[in-house]
Amino acid sequence: MNGFLNHDAAMSCEDSTSNGVQQEDERLPISRARKALVREAKHHQSLIIIGETASGKSTQLPQYLYRSGFARLGVIGCTQPRRVAAISIAERVAREMKEELGGKIGYSVRFEDVSSPNTRIKYMTDGMLLREAISDPLLKRYGVIILDEAHERTVHTDVLFGIVKTAQRNRNESGGKPLKVIVMSATLEAEPFSKFFGGAKILYIEGRQHPIKTFYAAEQQTDYLHASLTAAVQLHNEQPLGGHILIFLTGQEEIELLANLLKDCLNDLNVEICPLYAGLPSALQMKALQPTLGNVRKIVLATNIAETSITIPGVKYVIDTGFVKAKEYNPNTGLDILRVQPVSMAQARQRLGRAGRQSPGQCYRLYTEEQFYSLQSSTTPEIQRCNLASVVLQLKALGIKDVGHFEFLDSPLSKAIENAVDQLTLLGALGEDGGELTGLGRNMARFPLEPRFSKTLLMSRDFNCSEDVLTIIALLSVDTIFYTPPNRRDSCNAVLQKYRSAEGDHIMLLNIYRAFKAVRGNKEWCENNFINSKAMKTVLDIRTQLREICTKLEIPLQSCGKDTSKIRECLTTGFFVNAAELQLDGSYKCFGQKMTASIHPSSSLFKAKPAYVVFTELVHTSKCYMRHVAVVDPQWLVSIAPAHFRKLDFHGNQFRSVTS
């Protein structure tokens, strides 16, 4: 997922009354195909369903199957690539069926399970179903599994295709209850999916709820931000009030810049500018999603978070810049590169669909029609552009010994798999031959965390700092706990200075958490300290869930108090592969990645030059940066992973690289 919306904000995007919901659902395009869909589901084990955005697939099909008796086969599970979608759709379906959420209708997302043994329709993120498969490879609880929004091709969805297909085949061979599999998408090249599931029948749901007119730029735009500004001002001046404008941009900085430009250009009391991106506090997210009062036009500036997961009431006009910010992993360097790149055709169609949710709409593409047809047909699957360490660990936990021959829909690069196996072997999760899971590896797989984090948490018992490491990992599991209002960056930096630590960013985060707990999460304190209170609530929820897993693994929960060197030494056990050494020119040489990087400007250590550090993340924007950096003792590195540092020579207090 590129974005995260809070639970309450997700609720606000749906219609508020059950009568209104019911009347609307009867008008959905899918309602005309209800009998045919149920009939085909009864006669086929696998189906591919393609339907326009807003056709009603996600909310209605599980209900059709439930009312037709499919729940007798087991739970009807529906996966979503994003947490906000799983929650908001489950809430909507519960309202439509007049059921209490957590009863017959439930959901399960990372660190939050609102379901029960009585749940018959269960929405969940694809990662949660994958975790269930570790303990139950046949997925015996389920009678129907719907893999929704398949066009997004998240890494978990791609792995699930293989897991679900294997479970379906093995249940057939053992004579157990059949498993129905339905793949759904608004925009998808259906044939490869049909072939993957043994020639599954493809069904098309015709029509969308409301028509949309599409307009293209007459010529190629050199500055899409300026083109967005021009288009929005022109639309507002020429179109009558009553239709909101949604503009797709690539990130927070662009959104804040365009917001200021629009305010200067329009200077209109009838216009409300609303940003919408991952790190935005809940109150401001709500502002973007709530209906306006009176004759006011809302202009929403959003990242791709608004492509599929939410409906913004009243949007009639979509301005699509044609770009998205995406992360790509290079297995040769271990580098995550965050870059702005053109959207795919599938993404462009999703964006267009936002204009026709509640009324006829218009989509203005800030690129030519020729450019549109030159785009990739679909987004490159995440499994071909991400670090596969978590995937390989999960597949090993599922009992799949030869990950390289696992049945992927689109196989990742063999180099990426080899790199992941090497990482897990270094961490001690796999045996020396990179084959079987070790005891440590089995315990690592029990945490819904990236392997380096789970290794660090497991090792915290040896350093008597499990409570502290638990807190730090929970804090790093959200996009950010900070919110810096536009034009207040200097004030924010001054306030946060009192929490900064010469030991690094992890200790700074711990300092903030301890201060937050001391004031019992006071909202005024959060606002005064530029802390996102909603994000902190999520941190508390994550921490509680991780704490429960630690208790089950009999990890004693202890704090090291003021001796925070124990925390940094513990961090080294999981992140020694991310060690870096200061160079004479002030840059850092990253040992594992064999490249040069700098400390990120947001770091506590940005102006410091410690000799040795470990970092949580390496990203490339304008240059290569280390994020979440901690000072370490070089002797810890040698002690923890002597083989990994065999090219390093230790002499007394000197620890230097051996040049080749």
Side-chain angles (χ1 to χ4, degrees):
M1 180 186 174
N2 294 313
F4 177 88
L5 283 181
N6 65 80
H7 187 159
D8 294 331
M11 292 178 61
S12 72
C13 71
E14 303 292 353
D15 292 329
S16 58
T17 65
S18 58
N19 288 338
V21 167
Q22 186 174 0
Q23 290 171 2
E24 181 183 334
D25 294 338
E26 291 172 355
R27 297 195 299 268
L28 291 170
I30 195 173
S31 64
R32 299 190 292 271
R34 179 174 58 84
K35 290 182 180 179
L37 289 170
V38 170
R39 181 178 64 249
E40 296 294 348
K42 285 180 178 178
H43 292 130
H44 297 89
Q45 278 211 310
S46 302
L47 289 174
I48 315 296
I49 298 177
I50 309 299
E52 292 269 16
T53 297
S55 62
K57 305 180 302 299
S58 305
T59 58
Q60 302 308 302
L61 182 62
Q63 294 186 64
Y64 296 162
L65 297 177
Y66 174 78
R67 294 188 183 110
S68 300
F70 281 79
R72 289 194 294 268
L73 298 174
V75 175
I76 299 168
C78 183
T79 67
Q80 297 290 327
R82 289 187 175 91
R83 167 193 182 96
V84 66
I87 295 172
S88 60
I89 296 171
E91 288 170 340
R92 165 130 186 174
V93 171
R95 289 201 305 275
E96 290 180 13
M97 295 181 67
K98 297 181 173 61
E99 294 284 349
E100 184 178 347
L101 193 63
K104 287 184 180 178
I105 316 301
Y107 68 82
S108 177
V109 298
R110 192 177 183 222
F111 304 119
E112 187 178 1
D113 187 358
V114 183
S115 65
S116 69
N118 296 323
T119 298
R120 308 320 313 153
I121 298 178
K122 184 177 178 182
Y123 289 88
M124 69 202 99
T125 51
D126 37 24
M128 292 308 296
L129 183 59
L130 184 56
R131 294 197 66 78
E132 283 192 44
I134 291 176
S135 57
D136 179 18
L138 291 178
L139 298 169
K140 294 188 289 292
R141 287 188 59 199
Y142 296 91
V144 181
I145 290 178
I146 301 170
L147 301 170
D148 200 4
E149 304 289 4
H151 67 276
E152 293 209 15
R153 300 297 301 276
T154 68
V155 62
H156 286 139
T157 303
D158 267 30
V159 173
L160 269 180
F161 287 137
I163 297 299
V164 169
K165 179 180 178 180
T166 301
Q168 185 184 57
R169 181 178 61 242
N170 290 344
R171 278 165 63 162
N172 286 339
E173 291 174 354
S174 65
K177 286 185 179 180
L179 175 63
K180 303 279 187 180
V181 178
I182 300 174
V183 178
M184 295 201 305
S185 177
T187 51
L188 183 72
E189 292 182 13
E191 286 73 16
F193 290 83
S194 172
K195 183 178 179 180
F196 185 78
F197 284 100
K201 189 169 184 177
I202 303 171
L203 305 176
Y204 294 89
I205 300 171
E206 294 185 357
R208 62 160 51 90
Q209 196 168 359
H210 301 286
I212 302 170
K213 291 183 179 179
T214 307
F215 301 89
Y216 290 90
E219 56 186 29
Q220 189 169 336
Q221 303 296 307
T222 56
D223 184 347
Y224 64 79
L225 203 62
H226 182 266
S228 300
L229 175 65
T230 304
V233 171
Q234 186 175 340
L235 267 174
H236 174 65
N237 290 333
E238 295 180 358
Q239 299 294 339
L241 294 175
H244 300 325
I245 301 170
L246 170 61
I247 305 177
F248 283 99
L249 298 165
T250 67
Q252 178 179 348
E253 290 185 8
E254 279 185 2
I255 286 172
E256 291 177 353
L257 177 57
L258 185 57
N260 290 330
L261 291 171
L262 283 168
K263 288 173 185 175
D264 292 340
C265 288
L266 294 174
N267 192 24
D268 190 337
L269 294 176
N270 291 322
V271 174
E272 189 175 359
I273 311 295
C274 299
L276 185 59
Y277 54 87
L280 202 63
S282 58
L284 294 178
Q285 289 179 347
M286 290 287 287
K287 184 180 177 183
L289 297 171
Q290 288 173 340
T292 55
L293 298 175
N295 224 8
V296 175
R297 188 193 308 282
K298 186 187 297 181
I299 301 180
V300 180
L301 312 179
T303 60
N304 62 337
I305 191 174
E307 277 181 13
T308 59
S309 300
I310 58 174
T311 296
I312 302 170
V315 168
K316 189 171 183 177
Y317 310 103
V318 165
I319 297 174
D320 178 13
T321 60
F323 288 92
V324 66
K325 191 176 286 184
K327 186 181 287 187
E328 292 187 4
Y329 176 75
N330 185 330
N332 294 314
T333 63
L335 178 64
D336 282 311
I337 301 176
L338 193 63
R339 64 175 61 175
V340 174
Q341 61 190 38
V343 296
S344 65
M345 281 190 185
Q347 284 176 291
R349 292 188 179 110
Q350 286 292 120
R351 292 179 174 190
L352 175 144
R354 302 293 98 189
R357 300 288 286 187
Q358 296 177 316
S359 67
Q362 299 174 11
C363 177
Y364 294 83
R365 288 174 170 161
L366 302 183
Y367 42 94
T368 65
E369 189 169 8
E370 183 181 3
Q371 282 178 288
F372 171 75
Y373 286 107
S374 68
L375 296 173
Q376 282 184 251
S377 59
S378 57
T379 307
T380 302
E382 188 182 6
I383 202 160
Q384 294 182 340
R385 53 182 175 86
C386 75
N387 187 334
L388 296 179
S390 292
V391 173
V392 172
L393 181 63
Q394 288 176 322
L395 290 176
K396 292 285 188 178
L398 282 162
I400 297 166
K401 296 181 179 180
D402 188 357
V403 176
H405 288 87
F406 178 73
E407 194 170 5
F408 291 106
L409 182 63
D410 288 296
S411 296
L413 296 172
S414 58
K415 175 67 176 176
I417 293 178
E418 292 170 12
N419 184 278
V421 169
D422 289 344
Q423 282 185 47
L424 293 171
T425 304
L426 270 174
L427 289 170
L430 301 178
E432 287 301 319
D433 60 352
E436 298 289 333
L437 272 181
T438 61
L440 175 64
R442 279 189 292 274
N443 285 337
M444 286 168 63
R446 302 216 15 207
F447 288 97
L449 297 168
E450 199 268 336
R452 288 171 291 192
F453 284 113
S454 54
K455 165 74 180 291
T456 302
L457 192 46
L458 286 166
M459 296 303 294
S460 65
R461 78 172 84 198
D462 296 342
F463 297 92
N464 301 319
C465 61
S466 51
E467 283 277 8
D468 310 300
V469 170
L470 195 61
T471 297
I472 291 168
I473 289 176
L475 286 159
L476 291 172
S477 295
V478 297
D479 286 335
T480 179
I481 62 168
F482 304 110
Y483 170 63
T484 308
N487 307 321
R488 295 199 65 190
R489 294 192 186 278
D490 291 342
S491 300
C492 178
N493 289 333
V495 169
L496 293 178
Q497 188 61 38
K498 60 190 172 188
Y499 302 112
R500 296 191 187 279
S501 169
E503 296 180 81
D505 302 318
H506 305 83
I507 307 305
M508 174 188 172
L509 289 172
L510 184 61
N511 291 340
I512 291 172
Y513 179 84
R514 287 173 174 174
F516 172 81
K517 291 293 286 182
V519 298
R520 299 181 180 179
N522 182 280
K523 287 190 176 181
E524 185 178 350
W525 178 91
C526 289
E527 186 175 332
N528 291 338
N529 287 272
F530 300 96
I531 302 299
N532 185 336
S533 59
K534 185 67 178 180
M536 290 302 288
K537 183 181 182 301
T538 303
V539 168
L540 294 175
D541 292 340
I542 292 172
R543 194 181 185 285
T544 298
Q545 295 295 322
L546 292 177
R547 202 174 194 273
E548 290 175 0
I549 299 173
C550 288
T551 301
K552 289 176 182 176
L553 292 174
E554 298 181 349
I555 297 174
L557 298 167
Q558 300 172 303
S559 174
C560 63
K562 294 182 179 180
D563 185 11
T564 48
S565 64
K566 293 292 184 185
I567 297 171
R568 292 185 290 115
E569 188 172 359
C570 181
L571 285 167
T572 308
T573 64
F575 288 91
F576 64 86
V577 291
N578 286 2
E581 178 188 41
L582 180 65
Q583 304 298 294
L584 293 175
D585 63 359
S587 65
Y588 283 84
K589 176 186 176 183
C590 304
F591 296 122
Q593 291 76 15
K594 299 178 182 176
M595 61 188 308
T596 300
S598 301
I599 294 176
H600 196 273
S602 65
S603 172
S604 290
L605 301 175
F606 178 57
K607 293 183 180 179
K609 295 293 181 184
Y612 294 90
V613 297
V614 293
F615 54 90
T616 300
E617 185 181 28
L618 196 63
V619 295
H620 192 288
T621 50
S622 57
K623 61 191 293 189
C624 188
Y625 287 114
M626 301 178 289
R627 296 188 71 237
H628 304 127
V629 184
V631 179
V632 296
D633 186 325
Q635 295 185 56
W636 298 343
L637 298 171
V638 175
S639 174
I640 288 165
H644 182 62
F645 292 99
R646 63 183 178 272
K647 291 184 180 180
L648 298 172
D649 190 18
F650 183 69
H651 292 288
N653 293 324
Q654 295 295 318
F655 188 74
R656 59 183 178 81
S657 298
V658 175
T659 55
S660 54

